Amino acid sequence: MISVRSPLATLFGQGYFNANKLTPTQVGQLFVSGERFEQLSRVDNAVLTGPRGSGKTTFMKMLTREALAHWEHPLGQELLNRSVLSIYFGSDVVLRSQLVDMDQRRDSAGEPDADVRTLQRAKMSLHFLHAILAAVKTEVQAGRASPAQGSGEAAVDVGALWQLTLPYASWDALQTSSSRAIDEISRALMRVSDGSTEDASKLAGALAPPELADLFIRIREHLAAAFDGLPERWLLLFDELEFFPRHVQQELIGLIRMLGPEFGVKLAFTPLSTTGGYLRELTGAFASSGHEYVHFDLAASQIDMRDLLRFAEKLTSRVLGMIGVEDPDLRVIFGVSPFATESLRRGSVRLVSDRPSDDELFSSLIEEHPRFATFASAKNVVTPAERALLSEPQRAASVRKGLPVMLLWHERLFRRRPARRQSKRSRKTNVIFTGYPTFLEMGDGNPRTTLRLLDRALANSGLRAGTEVSPRSADLSIDAETQADVIDTEREVQLALAEVHLARHGVVRGPMGGMQLLDQLGQVFERNVYMGKRFDPDPVTSFVLDDKVDFPIAQAIADAVYTGVLVDVGPVDAVPARPQVLSDIHHLYWRRYRLSYLLGTRYWLPVRKGKAKALSTLLARTAITRGEAIQQTIFESDPS
Amino acid sequence: MTTDLAFSPADAISVLYRAVVVSDIHAVGRDTRDHADESTVVEHILERYAHDPFERLAALSAEFPKPIDALVCCGDVTNRAGIDGYVYGMHKLVDLADQLGAPTVYLTVGNHDLDVRDRHGFGPRACLESAQLPDRLVPSCITAHTLHHDLFEIYRPKPDMTVVNLDTNGAAPTETQGKYGIVDPATVHEIEVALQAVDLTPVMLFVCHHHPYRHGDIALSDYSELHGAPELFAMFERLPEAAWLLLHGHKHQPRLAYARGGAAAPAVFGAGAFSRSLDKYLQAVARNQCYLIEFVRDGRLPPGHPPVGRFRSLEWASSKWVPSPASTRSGLPYSGGFGAKKHPAIMAREIANMIGRAPEQRMRHREVAEAQCEINYLVPSDVERVIEHLREDHDIAASCYMHDPQPVEYGKMRP
């Protein structure tokens, strides 16, 4: 049954598309595989970092056996055949509030409150216990494991690790007793918030969880004795570590150092500057304990334009399939983008613009604008006959590469179309950025953004509530104006998230905060596209984070990357031999970044990575510094 | 979705009737004077946000056991007699019925559906006349009585099932000013005569808006209960024996208990509000809930046992419907039943005897429920008492999981 206002929210039971709230079964049904997941699944230990919504939780949940069982992919079966018990440890809002917010509490001497710490540790470890029991239950229900004779006694021993007394010897009794203990801890922590520490002291004395490493090792031993057929090797999947309190994060460091080869550990988090060097500590713990590990950063991995589009296409088609659209034709649903290749446009049912062929368009544009004519004359591509003489790479370099920029230039400054709702200077998204494949590329390969774009667009499509029959692609056509509105909305969402994190950095250059810096960069790129003396078919629209950039700016850039407003487009070819910057973000240096495509629409930037310049050069040569000078002059002339 | 709404299957069980219950919607339409803060079904808000309780419930329709025989609404479709709200709420109800595949909607009149203060100047029934159910969803009456004229209607959707729909706002609702429910002794007499004329069926569902007993435990000043309820219950006692369920709304406080009377006294199911914002004292004792109710015959019960009922309860958690928590203190728990009246102490003793003979002195609940079938149809408060008796009298502990008040396992406590 499909809802008009939010078809995907109805499908997934949530409107923000966070894998945290999806069951492993849903994750398995929705998952689009890629090279990175294959790599992640084949290593024993890993640290997975990436921007919000980039798929970290999806990857972690996909490694659970429940999700693998619902994934129709050969790799799913292969991973399922391995004798590894994968256990997912996530977090939820209540856990976060009780663990992280309470972590700030100090006693009268200014030290962390010991009782609160103990209760937090107990709560966290009982939360881990429940995750372990859930994984074991999945194995038992799937018939891959079965309780051994007298297995209940082992439950009593596990409960004793927290000094929990079970009413009778059974794993269900352990689950009930530990649930009650969690409830009691929650109540005691709530009373601490209200100013009463009596219950917390009493409970902290009764519950004393051992160190995490000790706990995992002993629980594994007990379970191995209590259940036949349970995999001996355990894979611990810790997700959303940024929400764990500092002392639990530190315990996980200890856990990595202590665990033997019978355990694998994979950890995922978004290393925003608020996590304060945790990435370095984690990777250091793996290195110092001799465990082999791999660091995957979903932000710092070169996303090829074709990969990005293929991912968005697969995800979109899968979701459309889930709401009952069979063999969706994305060209019909979204219309065809003016930037689409000729082969894609050929035979399309619905074009966003009445655009002629590339060759005809090139001819008309150079005829209309002397700026383009000069360029064409310099490249000897004025007439169709001259262009016909070019080899395919030459044609690509001199005609096809420049055409999208020419088209944008023409559309923005000269096109006379019925006024939408914006003037030429409006920051509203122009319909030129809509249609297939451009609309799908707007998500930058971020699944959450892609799903939200799709949800908002479908909400305004031909879907109707109560549609029982499978809708056809033609029923779903989403007009260009709607797509442009959706891009506007989603861009504001992305900017709001970035603002929250960039505001923490205060001013990073002169009077500018991180968001103003991004805006200035956008304007610099915009000028490169539209205001150069000569037409540049490949203007500078990206930058390289070099080590001459002040560290506060680099930190703000890193947070912008992890909130999704900046996108990594790969490493530079040659990195100068200099001492490495020792920080959590060292791996982000000497890589190219562009504005997210969503943000790029605000500055009318072409939907591609563009040429790059070092950020320090851009900062030194542009109005970014001039703004600072003007500001200083104003303050200096202030008589007060 | 994560909710498993299916009841545990058993060959011995035959389902007589299955209904989804929503009550006290308090929908608010375009007219913003209708106190939008009092409801979660507000047209101009739901247009922008996707957290629509109706759509989220419809999204679960695939998980409901099929077929759904009816959608029941115990009144208060709109809030404070808002006409826009009534029209909007009715659209929502019809959409929900269609999406659930329910062929019939039983709709009774709530105090908010009547314009008793003549706010619009069109008389008290202005809302009711502004929107009506499509004919295909209107149940057909088996007597000539109508809600509008006689304040009650009687339907017989199946040979074993009769539904009585009573308007408890009285013949002249402006006199009550919507402050309390009322059923006139003459109306009670008419219902009794009508029912005797058509004969009773094994299952009798009685739907009205107001609560027959004061909910004095949550509000000492609650005087809005149904005036004339004693006469109504006396009628139940006089009529031939049947499995009665009195289903009502109004107080927004979910509860399930038996009315006064003998062994065949009706079960009184107070449905929680579907989407009324819960304020003041109600936040501590109630939740927004909706229900799936089944009337069944269970062959495992002693021969001659009347039909019984079971229910699933869902709770609105800001953006979706989730299984209600196990505690009976803030609404009805996720699963429960009604219709079996074995004393909890006796039930506990029989369970204790079984566990005493079991290996390792522990048993799964499904084994217990198979042998002691009545436990499936005890009201939730009685199930809690059984567990208490087991612990206190027989040293037997029960392991319960979060959403289900019924245990998963029982075990003899260690010394």
Side-chain angles (χ1 to χ4, degrees):
Chain A
M1 211 60 63
I2 296 158
S3 146
V4 175
R5 272 188 295 283
S6 183
L8 303 197
T10 307
L11 189 67
F12 300 123
Q14 51 161 304
Y16 32 85
F17 310 119
N18 193 336
N20 184 323
K21 299 284 184 294
L22 295 178
T23 61
T25 308
Q26 285 176 313
V27 173
Q29 289 165 343
L30 190 65
F31 188 59
V32 175
S33 178
E35 200 181 316
R36 282 175 297 190
F37 178 71
E38 286 193 28
Q39 290 165 352
L40 179 71
S41 69
R42 293 189 195 286
V43 296
D44 288 340
N45 302 303
V47 177
L48 179 64
T49 54
R52 293 277 165 84
S54 59
K56 300 180 300 298
T57 299
T58 303
F59 276 16
M60 296 296 264
K61 283 198 172 172
M62 268 315 296
L63 290 169
T64 63
R65 291 164 79 79
E66 197 179 341
L68 290 172
H70 288 90
W71 186 33
E72 290 175 7
H73 193 281
L75 182 61
Q77 197 53 48
E78 182 192 326
L79 295 175
L80 207 54
N81 289 341
R82 286 186 202 167
S83 182
V84 176
L85 182 70
S86 42
I87 307 161
Y88 175 82
F89 306 102
S91 72
D92 59 36
V93 176
V94 178
L95 196 69
R96 287 173 203 174
S97 64
Q98 292 196 342
L99 293 182
V100 180
D101 298 347
M102 296 289 290
D103 203 33
Q104 310 304 321
R105 193 179 166 81
R106 294 282 185 271
D107 62 14
S108 53
E111 293 297 313
D113 191 314
D115 291 338
V116 170
R117 278 282 162 92
T118 306
L119 290 188
Q120 285 181 320
R121 290 186 59 240
K123 176 153 184 155
M124 195 76 210
S125 51
L126 287 169
H127 174 68
F128 290 161
L129 171 70
H130 279 202
I132 295 168
L133 293 180
V136 173
K137 199 171 179 181
T138 304
E139 292 300 290
V140 173
Q141 282 174 346
R144 294 188 287 260
S146 59
Q149 189 69 29
S151 80
E153 290 304 323
V156 176
D157 294 337
V158 171
L161 296 174
W162 286 268
Q163 299 177 15
L164 290 174
T165 311
L166 306 195
Y168 62 100
S170 149
W171 290 97
D172 282 314
L174 174 63
Q175 177 122 10
T176 306
S177 298
S178 53
S179 296
R180 285 195 185 131
I182 288 175
D183 280 352
E184 280 180 40
I185 293 171
S186 299
R187 275 197 291 274
L189 288 174
M190 275 197 292
R191 290 202 191 100
V192 170
S193 302
D194 295 340
S196 164
T197 55
E198 198 181 330
D199 288 353
S201 305
K202 212 183 288 175
L203 202 57
L207 289 168
E211 289 293 320
L212 275 185
D214 197 20
L215 209 60
F216 277 110
I217 291 166
R218 285 160 73 176
I219 293 175
R220 184 184 155 279
E221 284 169 3
H222 288 304
L223 281 168
F227 289 88
D228 297 327
L230 208 59
E232 284 192 3
R233 193 173 152 69
W234 281 20
L235 174 61
L236 309 179
L237 304 163
F238 293 99
D239 193 16
E240 300 189 317
L241 288 186
E242 67 268 32
F243 295 119
F244 288 16
R246 191 70 188 153
H247 62 94
V248 176
Q249 289 179 347
Q250 291 303 324
E251 274 203 65
L252 287 175
I253 300 269
L255 178 79
I256 291 166
R257 293 204 169 107
M258 294 282 291
L259 291 181
E262 63 276 18
F263 287 95
V265 185
K266 291 180 184 171
L267 310 106
F269 69 112
T270 302
L272 288 158
S273 54
T274 46
T275 52
Y278 189 54
L279 178 61
R280 208 167 61 246
E281 291 176 46
L282 266 183
T283 49
F286 273 119
S288 65
S289 56
H291 296 314
E292 286 191 6
Y293 78 99
V294 181
H295 175 204
F296 294 92
D297 193 341
L298 299 183
S301 52
Q302 188 170 3
I303 304 172
D304 185 76
M305 193 80 171
R306 276 164 300 189
D307 289 345
L308 183 154
L309 180 60
R310 212 172 297 130
F311 169 79
E313 278 175 348
K314 274 189 192 170
L315 187 63
T316 305
S317 299
R318 178 136 330 157
V319 168
L320 289 171
M322 286 170 86
I323 60 173
V325 188
E326 285 172 15
D327 297 327
D329 187 338
L330 300 179
R331 293 181 308 173
V332 174
I333 294 172
F334 296 104
V336 176
S337 162
F339 303 129
T341 58
E342 278 205 323
S343 61
L344 199 64
R345 291 202 308 275
R346 209 171 297 133
S348 73
V349 180
R350 190 162 67 94
L351 284 172
V352 166
S353 69
D354 47 357
R355 206 189 111 176
S357 73
D358 280 357
D359 211 49
E360 287 168 349
L361 185 69
F362 192 82
S363 294
S364 70
L365 284 170
I366 58 174
E367 201 174 302
E368 196 172 342
H369 303 292
R371 179 185 179 82
F372 300 150
T374 313
F375 164 75
S377 158
K379 295 276 180 186
N380 292 326
V381 288
V382 177
T383 63
E386 284 173 337
R387 293 196 290 274
L389 290 174
L390 298 176
S391 66
E392 199 50 37
Q394 287 171 324
R395 186 193 301 275
S398 51
V399 179
R400 277 212 297 276
K401 195 163 200 174
L403 205 51
V405 185
M406 292 162 86
L407 203 58
L408 274 172
W409 201 87
H410 174 77
E411 176 76 22
R412 185 171 189 189
L413 304 175
F414 290 90
R415 175 107 163 137
R416 284 184 192 164
R417 59 165 63 236
R420 193 184 161 224
R421 59 206 171 288
Q422 82 268 41
S423 66
K424 284 176 182 172
R425 289 181 177 276
S426 168
R427 290 299 185 197
K428 288 261 184 193
T429 303
N430 190 277
V431 290
I432 199 167
F433 291 104
T434 64
Y436 172 76
T438 309
F439 183 74
L440 293 187
E441 286 163 348
M442 287 292 148
D444 283 313
N446 182 306
R448 194 178 300 165
T449 310
T450 307
L451 283 172
R452 275 207 301 243
L453 283 166
L454 189 59
D455 183 49
R456 288 183 204 278
L458 283 173
N460 294 294
S461 72
L463 280 181
R464 289 290 169 265
T467 307
E468 291 234 30
V469 291
S470 302
R472 292 165 302 139
S473 298
D475 298 332
L476 295 179
S477 68
I478 301 161
D479 65 41
E481 297 273 329
T482 302
Q483 292 177 46
D485 285 341
V486 167
I487 290 171
D488 276 344
T489 312
E490 199 48 44
R491 187 180 62 208
E492 294 314 308
V493 171
Q494 193 178 65
L495 281 172
L497 177 66
E499 195 147 10
V500 168
H501 287 281
L502 293 185
R504 295 173 203 269
H505 297 277
V507 291
V508 292
R509 185 175 179 85
M512 285 189 296
M515 291 304 286
Q516 287 90 343
L517 182 74
L518 283 181
D519 184 44
Q520 290 287 324
L521 277 172
Q523 290 185 36
V524 168
F525 296 151
E526 186 180 18
R527 277 195 292 276
N528 289 342
V529 177
Y530 295 97
M531 294 173 70
K533 283 180 189 162
R534 290 195 205 98
F535 171 67
D536 183 352
D538 190 16
V540 172
T541 53
S542 63
F543 67 85
V544 174
L545 180 60
D546 59 322
D547 57 6
K548 287 184 192 159
V549 173
D550 294 341
F551 190 64
I553 294 181
Q555 273 191 314
I557 294 291
D559 275 1
V561 170
Y562 286 116
T563 50
V565 279
L566 287 180
V567 175
D568 182 294
V569 283
V572 293
D573 296 334
V575 180
R578 291 204 185 100
Q580 205 180 47
V581 182
L582 284 175
S583 76
D584 255 16
I585 57 170
H586 68 87
H587 62 288
L588 299 183
Y589 279 87
W590 300 110
R591 299 186 72 88
R592 286 174 62 183
Y593 300 93
R594 59 167 169 80
L595 299 187
S596 68
Y597 287 144
L598 282 174
L599 186 54
T601 59
R602 196 181 202 185
Y603 306 100
W604 290 72
L605 302 184
V607 185
R608 65 178 186 214
K609 54 188 174 187
K611 255 188 338 221
K613 257 190 186 162
L615 180 59
S616 58
T617 313
L618 284 175
L619 291 174
R621 289 189 193 166
T622 63
I624 294 174
T625 44
R626 288 209 294 278
E628 180 187 353
I630 292 164
Q631 197 74 15
Q632 279 171 349
T633 316
I634 292 167
F635 281 108
E636 279 161 12
S637 62
D638 187 343
S640 63
Chain B
M1 300 299 159
T2 54
T3 319
D4 176 18
L5 286 159
F7 293 98
S8 55
D11 294 339
I13 296 175
S14 57
V15 178
L16 302 175
Y17 206 70
R18 185 179 289 130
V20 170
V21 178
V22 298
S23 180
D24 296 84
I25 297 159
H26 292 265
V28 175
R30 292 274 169 201
D31 189 343
T32 49
R33 292 171 300 167
D34 297 342
H35 296 259
D37 56 319
E38 292 180 345
S39 178
T40 54
V41 175
V42 180
E43 189 171 3
H44 73 268
I45 293 177
L46 293 187
E47 269 177 1
R48 282 184 289 164
Y49 301 104
H51 298 164
D52 183 340
F54 279 99
E55 287 186 1
R56 291 299 163 91
L57 185 60
L60 291 173
S61 65
E63 295 177 36
F64 281 98
K66 296 285 185 307
I68 303 287
D69 296 307
L71 174 66
V72 184
C73 177
C74 305
D76 281 358
V77 172
T78 184
N79 198 42
R80 302 196 184 219
I83 290 179
D84 285 353
Y86 193 79
V87 174
Y88 183 56
M90 288 291 274
H91 274 294
K92 287 283 175 191
L93 270 181
V94 171
D95 281 349
L96 181 63
D98 287 343
Q99 289 170 344
L100 292 174
T104 308
V105 176
Y106 297 117
L107 173 64
T108 194
V109 184
N111 54 316
H112 279 257
D113 301 330
L114 292 172
D115 191 1
V116 289
R117 291 180 178 83
D118 207 16
R119 180 182 145 192
H120 301 291
F122 302 122
R125 297 203 166 254
C127 289
L128 302 180
E129 284 156 14
S130 64
Q132 283 166 350
L133 292 171
D135 287 346
R136 63 189 164 83
L137 295 176
V138 177
S140 49
C141 301
I142 55 168
T143 64
H145 303 95
T146 63
L147 270 184
H148 184 75
H149 186 266
D150 308 288
L151 299 178
F152 73 92
E153 288 177 356
I154 301 174
Y155 325 106
R156 182 154 296 165
K158 288 190 174 181
D160 281 349
M161 174 88 186
T162 303
V163 181
V164 182
N165 184 355
L166 175 70
D167 179 352
T168 49
N169 294 284
T174 45
E175 287 172 12
T176 69
Q177 286 283 299
K179 286 179 180 166
Y180 54 86
I182 186 163
V183 54
D184 200 83
T187 308
V188 174
H189 177 69
E190 256 189 278
I191 295 171
E192 188 173 351
V193 171
L195 286 175
Q196 280 169 337
V198 295
D199 286 336
L200 265 65
T201 48
V203 178
M204 299 292 294
L205 175 64
F206 195 98
V207 183
C208 64
H209 179 66
H210 288 88
H211 51 308
Y213 292 120
R214 282 178 61 191
H215 285 215
D217 54 335
I218 57 163
L220 287 174
S221 55
D222 170 29
Y223 296 109
S224 62
E225 81 276 16
L226 179 62
H227 291 200
E231 287 80 357
L232 196 63
F233 287 119
M235 176 197 80
F236 292 136
E237 279 189 37
R238 286 193 300 271
L239 285 168
E241 192 181 311
W244 282 95
L245 178 72
L246 190 151
L247 185 58
H248 71 82
H250 187 61
K251 277 315 285 181
H252 311 156
Q253 187 195 13
R255 59 168 51 173
L256 176 54
Y258 294 106
R260 69 166 208 201
V268 180
F269 194 118
F274 181 77
S275 47
R276 171 67 161 84
S277 304
L278 300 172
D279 51 10
K280 298 182 196 165
Y281 49 83
L282 269 177
Q283 286 186 354
V285 294
R287 297 282 180 271
N288 287 123
Q289 292 191 328
C290 64
Y291 312 92
L292 171 73
I293 296 181
E294 275 187 4
F295 296 94
V296 300
R297 276 190 196 282
D298 193 332
R300 298 168 301 176
L301 289 166
H305 199 289
V308 286
R310 53 187 182 176
F311 68 87
R312 289 269 189 260
S313 151
L314 296 175
E315 174 177 309
W316 181 244
S318 301
S319 60
K320 60 180 175 181
W321 291 100
V322 297
S324 301
S327 169
T328 55
R329 286 170 189 81
S330 60
L332 291 172
Y334 173 55
S335 72
F338 53 89
K341 291 180 180 171
K342 198 168 203 171
H343 195 282
I346 296 170
M347 173 73 78
R349 195 181 63 225
E350 290 174 6
I351 292 173
N353 288 340
M354 286 168 59
I355 291 167
R357 294 191 297 270
E360 293 186 41
Q361 293 199 309
R362 62 188 167 101
M363 280 182 85
R364 306 297 295 175
H365 173 75
R366 58 172 181 272
E367 296 162 356
V368 172
E370 193 65 31
Q372 294 290 330
C373 185
E374 284 97 333
I375 198 167
N376 297 307
Y377 308 109
L378 291 184
V379 294
S381 55
D382 282 351
V383 174
E384 284 190 350
R385 280 180 192 281
V386 171
I387 293 170
E388 206 176 304
H389 277 292
L390 282 170
R391 192 178 58 244
E392 299 297 327
D393 305 341
H394 306 285
D395 290 334
I396 287 173
S399 297
C400 302
Y401 285 172
M402 241 185 110
H403 295 300
D404 208 333
Q406 292 196 328
V408 286
E409 192 182 57
Y410 305 88
K412 187 80 176 169
M413 286 162 75
R414 291 141 58 88

